[in-house]
Amino acid sequence: MSGDGSWRRVSREGRRFLRGRYRSLRRLALWSLLESAHTFLGGYAVARALDDGFLAGRTGTGLGWLAVAGAGALLGALALRGVFGGLADLVEPLRDGLVRRSVRQAIGRAVADPGRAGDAGAVSRLTQQAEMARDSFAGLVLVARSFVFTALGALLGLAALDPVLLVLVLPALLLGTAGFVATLRPMARVQRAALDADEALSGRAGELAAGLRDVVACGGGASAGAPVERLIAEQERLTGRLARWTALRTLALGVAGRLPVVALLAGTPWLLGRGVSAGAVAGALTYLVQSLLPALDALMTAVGAAGTRLLVVLDRFCTPQSDSAAATTAPEVAPGVGAGPGVAVELRGVWFAYGPRAQPVIDGLDLTVGAGEHLAVVGPSGIGKSTLTALIAGLLPPGGGTVRVAGAPAQGVTGPGPDLRRTLLPQQAYVFTGTVRENLTHLCPGPVSGAEVERATAALGSDGLVDRLGGLDGAVDPARLSPGERQHLALTAAYLSPAPLLLLDEATCHLDLRTEERAERALAARPGTLVVVAHRISSAARADRVLVLDGTRAVCGTHAELPARSPLYRDLVGLWNARG
């Protein structure tokens, strides 16, 4: 299936969806106009405060203009409140429509072939994929709307200060944006091809593993392994292409996000020589650094990540799910070997013991964690919670059964650098000697903007700690940090990690209740899957599902239903409530 075909199909359905919701779009636009006013006042007031106030010796006038900028910030807060109210009018109908379409597709397949009525793909589309589409769509609408109206306010402000400022700023901005847009479709095509190749390799490897004894007995190892080698070579080729397109995208981001500031600073003598005031230059710099470039960076990041994910998910809903289509687009996978769509973690018959004669810590565990799900793991000390996370993280090989992450073996990825599929945070947080920025971004394979880091620290509530350490360039001495401070920095690093799966092995045990709740809610709201080994029942109550480990027996369900199904969980809840 070509990337262009997916793009056209999803674009056609998207236009049809938006045509019937002009009222919701108008409401969002009207609230967003306040954001344009906030942006306009931010830079214009700084320029007037300098030119008409402080540089002219009129301190009162300067303070008055700064008060105007503060009033603009209040307008921005009011706009954001209204935007979230209007966003639900767009997002919820999308999810409802996807759910209805998924049900119709499942019913159609069941009528055509009753033997496939229990297709797990329909459940995934009905739950995880619909929620993933809703979350991705909401994020894209928020950042796209913010960029459009922020850019409107900033460009109008630059023109109001002096139109010549646009001559320096716009070319670099447009050049970087055009370069970024040019990478979208090629990257989507390569990512889709890489996904198909990965699924084909998993399916072929599963088939080969199921008949490995017969293959060896018949001496057919070379012929049986040849298709696998071709798939591996194809994956290597696609990975190289994806790396090259990623490099071009990074270059485009650098041009759009940094070159306008460089051009403005380098052209300052020329601007001053043409009669542009110092206040106007300061106001233009304010527009770029505080408004326009952060909004552009957020837009490009969202489109590059959530946009691609939304395109792939929506294409699954827009594509007719006929039997013939399924037979040509999806490889056959041996039972229990491949994870279905929307599955982040899959354990089948997993067994593990610390020694050949030791009692098993985990025995015959079956568990499926959906993409985007928040799972809490509870149980007495020493029951196997940390062992479970180590198995999922690929640190321990299972004694029996299979552990798969994103459809591939948990121990199947090796090489330098962090595993981009998952991030594990143990109870003893890892913090090293270096700068705060290095400690927060060491899990990221590429550069991370300061604005993105600041958004992460604000979401996790670690901005106060960062300030106490001297900002992002401040030095970190692990010996001088408390266990809670080390965990706070590690959690922020996990939030910035691109890994779609986060594993927290009591990684919040040194935080107070309020800080723990804020951190877990922020990590759960982050795109991806969250698995938390909980040491407090309040943490389990926030999860979508709870896995209770009780000896070799495991029970999984929601916080509300588990007290009736698990005596251990009922006792844990009662003990927690008794302690207040």
Side-chain angles (χ1 to χ4, degrees):
M1 185 183 301
S2 69
D4 289 336
S6 301
W7 180 273
R8 287 193 296 269
R9 187 161 42 249
V10 174
S11 297
R12 182 174 61 251
E13 294 285 345
R15 289 192 298 269
R16 184 183 305 168
F17 172 77
L18 293 175
R19 272 198 297 269
R21 287 163 181 84
Y22 284 141
R23 179 176 297 179
S24 300
L25 292 173
R26 283 197 302 268
R27 181 182 175 187
L28 276 177
L30 289 175
W31 279 111
S32 299
L33 283 174
L34 290 179
E35 191 166 345
S36 296
H38 155 57
T39 302
F40 178 88
L41 290 175
Y44 191 82
V46 168
R48 296 278 71 82
L50 287 174
D51 289 339
D52 301 339
F54 301 120
L55 294 179
R58 294 189 289 269
T59 304
T61 302
L63 293 176
W65 277 111
L66 292 182
V68 171
L74 294 178
L75 282 178
L78 179 64
L80 194 60
R81 179 181 177 183
V83 163
F84 274 101
L87 185 65
D89 295 338
L90 278 179
V91 173
E92 295 306 324
L94 173 71
R95 178 192 177 279
D96 295 343
L98 293 179
V99 169
R100 286 193 294 269
R101 177 169 297 194
S102 177
V103 171
R104 287 197 300 268
Q105 291 174 348
I107 293 175
R109 283 193 300 275
V111 172
D113 186 359
R116 298 185 60 185
D119 183 15
V123 178
S124 174
R125 284 186 292 275
L126 188 63
T127 54
Q128 287 97 351
Q129 294 187 36
E131 294 299 327
M132 188 184 302
R134 180 179 68 171
D135 294 344
S136 299
F137 179 66
L140 284 174
V141 170
L142 278 177
V143 297
R145 172 211 57 82
S146 177
F147 171 73
V148 168
F149 288 93
T150 297
L152 176 64
L155 295 177
L156 288 177
L158 290 170
L161 292 177
D162 199 312
V164 75
L165 293 169
L166 295 174
V167 176
L168 288 176
V169 171
L170 272 182
L173 192 65
L174 294 176
L175 177 63
T177 304
F180 174 78
V181 171
T183 65
L184 289 178
R185 287 196 181 186
M187 282 198 74
R189 285 196 294 268
V190 175
Q191 286 174 334
R192 186 61 182 265
L195 177 62
D196 291 341
D198 181 70
E199 291 179 350
L201 179 60
S202 297
R204 183 61 182 172
E207 294 171 353
L208 192 60
L212 190 58
R213 181 178 299 175
D214 295 336
V215 170
V216 174
C218 297
S223 59
V228 176
E229 293 178 357
R230 287 195 295 271
L231 289 172
I232 293 175
E234 176 67 7
Q235 271 196 324
E236 182 180 2
R237 185 184 69 84
L238 291 172
T239 301
R241 288 183 59 191
L242 190 60
R244 290 190 290 273
W245 281 111
T246 302
L248 290 175
R249 172 176 288 183
T250 303
L251 177 62
L253 286 172
V255 170
R258 301 293 180 266
L259 197 56
V261 175
V262 174
L264 179 63
L265 294 177
T268 296
W270 177 75
L271 291 171
L272 296 177
R274 290 181 56 89
V276 178
S277 67
V281 174
L285 192 61
T286 301
Y287 281 131
L288 289 178
V289 174
Q290 292 190 356
S291 301
L292 189 57
L293 297 185
L296 179 63
D297 180 71
L299 176 67
M300 289 184 172
T301 301
V303 171
T308 303
R309 182 170 60 249
L310 180 64
L311 175 65
V312 173
V313 172
L314 289 182
D315 184 53
R316 293 182 183 272
F317 284 94
C318 297
T319 304
Q321 299 292 323
S322 62
D323 291 340
S324 58
T328 58
T329 60
E332 292 186 6
V333 181
V337 174
V343 175
V345 178
E346 186 178 37
L347 289 81
R348 289 289 174 263
V350 173
W351 177 92
F352 183 85
Y354 288 98
R357 297 184 180 181
Q359 289 294 322
V361 180
I362 295 176
D363 191 4
L365 177 61
D366 291 326
L367 175 67
T368 300
V369 184
E373 187 176 6
H374 178 187
L375 176 75
V377 183
V378 302
S381 178
I383 204 68
K385 304 186 295 296
S386 296
T387 301
L388 176 61
T389 59
L391 288 167
I392 298 174
L395 302 179
L396 293 175
T402 58
V403 182
R404 305 184 71 83
V405 174
Q411 292 189 302
V413 175
T414 59
D419 187 342
L420 297 183
R421 295 181 300 166
R422 67 215 156 184
T423 291
L424 170 64
L425 264 68
Q427 182 176 351
Q428 301 300 325
Y430 175 65
V431 178
F432 55 90
T433 301
T435 66
V436 174
R437 187 192 306 272
E438 289 168 343
N439 272 275
L440 297 183
T441 60
H442 72 279
L443 296 175
C444 302
V448 182
S449 68
E452 189 174 354
V453 176
E454 290 172 0
R455 284 194 296 270
T457 58
L460 272 292
S462 56
D463 42 2
L465 173 59
V466 171
D467 291 340
R468 291 197 301 274
L469 294 175
L472 295 180
D473 294 323
V476 173
D477 182 359
R480 294 180 176 271
L481 296 179
S482 69
E485 289 172 333
R486 289 196 291 268
Q487 284 190 338
H488 222 165
L489 291 179
L491 289 166
T492 308
Y495 183 91
L496 285 166
S497 164
L501 172 62
L502 294 185
L503 303 167
L504 308 186
D505 185 5
E506 297 197 10
T508 61
C509 63
H510 296 298
L511 303 180
D512 60 79
L513 284 171
R514 182 175 298 180
T515 305
E516 178 188 61
E517 179 178 1
R518 179 172 181 173
E520 286 187 358
R521 290 192 185 280
L523 292 171
R526 169 189 178 275
T529 305
L530 179 64
V531 177
V532 178
V533 173
H535 65 290
R536 297 183 178 116
I537 293 299
S538 57
S539 180
R542 288 188 289 270
D544 299 325
R545 287 191 301 154
V546 182
L547 175 67
V548 184
L549 296 181
D550 185 3
T552 57
R553 178 174 174 267
V555 182
C556 194
T558 65
H559 172 70
E561 66 186 23
L562 275 177
R565 297 175 53 198
S566 169
L568 172 61
Y569 194 73
R570 182 168 60 250
D571 293 343
L572 292 174
V573 172
L575 181 60
W576 177 259
N577 291 334
R579 290 176 176 174

